[in-house]
Amino acid sequence: MRLSVLQTPSPAGDIDAACAVLATALRAASAAGAGVLVAPEVFLPGYNHPRIAERALGKGSAPLARLSDAARNAGTALVFGYAEAAAGRVWNAALCLGPDGGVLAHYRKIQPYGPREKAIFTPGDAYVTFDLAGRRLALLICYDIEFAPHVAALAGQGVEAILVPTANMMPFTHVARHTVPAMAANHGLAIAYANYCGSEGDLTYAGGSLIAGPHGEVLAQAGEHPALLIADVPAVDPARVSTQITDFRKV
């Protein structure tokens, strides 16, 4: 399974530019043989945009259709975050568009982070798993991946990799450096974690996007600047799988 992760500055409200960035990255990921490209959280219109609710996108909107075409033209799946408008509410959502442009998965963030997200977004209430090229995958968004029960629940459903759009900001560099690899190791699955770099409004993003293997190994990691990461995820080695879940003693 070859995964790719895009680290890039926020489009800061320019949805046309966001779509163009994703289309270009998709072509590069496809040329490198990646099966899926993962992009950051609320990439449409940009995580820290001041008018998220006004720019939220509904099902069948033109930008989503444009990205469907881009995935189909590249022959590579695309995961990206966006502000979703539906039923008079706004969700922090992620889509996985398959290599044929069809929707493989639609997920709503379960764990809003901080007062701003809680004021803007309605929380999701369900996990989403899906198959891509014979592999069982799942989506989480940013803060979700820091909660071990969510990762454990997905591992229990046979998920081999979790694809995570994120908008992790300074000073929380420990999340990419330590938390994500530990979650991968403790639950025996890969994690593709796609963050922003640069600044947007009053936020400076931490960068550090990475692809972690199922034993916690860092297969590829970005620094503080734009990057396209590509890595092959190794098969799980039964001799290295954590036994914490079966060995746990509740007291």
Side-chain angles (χ1 to χ4, degrees), residues 20-211:
V21 166
L22 293 178
T24 298
L26 268 170
R27 289 192 293 270
S30 177
V36 60
L37 171 71
V38 187
E41 179 181 8
V42 194
F43 200 66
L44 307 180
Y47 176 80
N48 201 33
H49 192 273
R51 295 186 299 279
I52 288 283
E54 294 175 31
R55 306 299 303 279
L57 301 172
K59 183 178 181 180
S61 61
L64 300 186
R66 180 177 171 184
L67 292 176
S68 176
D69 289 342
R72 183 173 59 252
N73 291 338
T76 297
L78 170 65
V79 171
F80 62 95
Y82 75 109
E84 177 199 5
R89 292 184 282 178
V90 178
W91 280 271
N92 185 333
L95 275 183
C96 179
L97 301 173
D100 63 354
V103 175
L104 286 179
H106 169 229
Y107 171 75
R108 291 167 172 169
K109 188 176 184 179
I110 292 171
Q111 301 283 166
Y113 174 77
R116 177 178 177 270
E117 281 195 29
K118 291 174 182 176
I120 296 171
F121 299 113
T122 299
D125 58 7
Y127 301 122
V128 174
T129 66
F130 60 101
D131 290 328
L132 177 64
R135 302 299 185 102
R136 174 64 61 171
L137 308 179
L139 304 178
L140 290 178
I141 298 174
C142 199
Y143 198 32
D144 293 335
I145 198 66
E146 299 179 45
F147 290 79
H150 296 321
V151 182
L154 292 172
Q157 295 181 34
V159 166
E160 298 175 69
I162 303 176
L163 313 180
V164 187
T166 190
N168 186 35
M169 68 286 292
M170 297 295 287
F172 304 113
T173 55
H174 69 279
V175 177
R177 292 177 182 172
H178 306 296
T179 304
V180 171
M183 288 293 182
N186 287 348
H187 300 94
L189 45 71
I191 299 173
Y193 184 83
N195 197 18
Y196 292 104
C197 58
S199 299
E200 182 184 20
D202 60 352
L203 293 182
T204 297
Y205 295 111
S209 299
L210 78 154
I211 301 171

